[in-house]
Amino acid sequence: LNLMTYQALEDFGPTSSAASPPVLVLSACGLADPEHRQPRGGIAQALKTWRTMWSGYFEAVVVACGDVETAAIIDRTVNTDVYMKVLQSQPLSPSAKEWHWKLELMQ
């Protein structure tokens, strides 16, 4: 994950004239093959760790999971801290206020 991040940031470059940071699309590798499926919880934990370190460098991060059930597991694991803050009426970081489902990015 870190290698893909470094490459994406290098491709985008610090001198980019874009108005906003790049959108990163990741394939959750090993989740689509039913015969050799990787453990979804382990992949989700790796993505959660990655999110805490790198997500601020991107406008959005889209994880292509392959099916709705896997997407729900990944989302629930990766974003638990955000959901808990909302449920407990705790303040969110400014970057999290307009977070999660940006319709224009999902289209």
Side-chain angles (χ1 to χ4, degrees):
L1 287 172
N2 289 340
L3 182 58
M4 289 187 290
T5 303
Y6 291 135
Q7 186 62 53
L9 292 173
E10 184 177 298
D11 289 348
F12 184 70
T15 59
S16 173
S17 61
S20 61
V23 174
L24 181 63
V25 179
L26 296 172
S27 171
C29 298
L31 297 178
D33 183 1
E35 290 185 33
H36 303 100
R37 181 176 280 186
Q38 298 297 314
R40 295 180 288 186
I43 300 284
Q45 285 297 329
L47 288 167
K48 182 176 184 171
T49 300
W50 178 91
R51 191 200 92 200
T52 61
M53 295 180 358
W54 296 105
S55 64
Y57 291 94
F58 298 94
E59 174 73 17
V61 178
V62 178
V63 181
C65 298
D67 63 72
V68 173
E69 181 184 353
T70 299
I73 290 168
I74 299 283
D75 181 47
R76 194 170 42 246
T77 302
V78 170
N79 299 309
T80 296
D81 58 328
V82 176
Y83 292 138
M84 291 306 295
K85 284 183 178 184
V86 169
L87 289 173
Q88 296 171 357
S89 299
Q90 294 181 0
L92 293 173
S93 68
S95 63
K97 291 198 181 203
E98 297 206 17
W99 169 83
H100 205 39
W101 301 114
K102 285 190 172 182
L103 185 58
E104 64 273 9
L105 293 176
M106 299 305 289
Q107 293 175 344

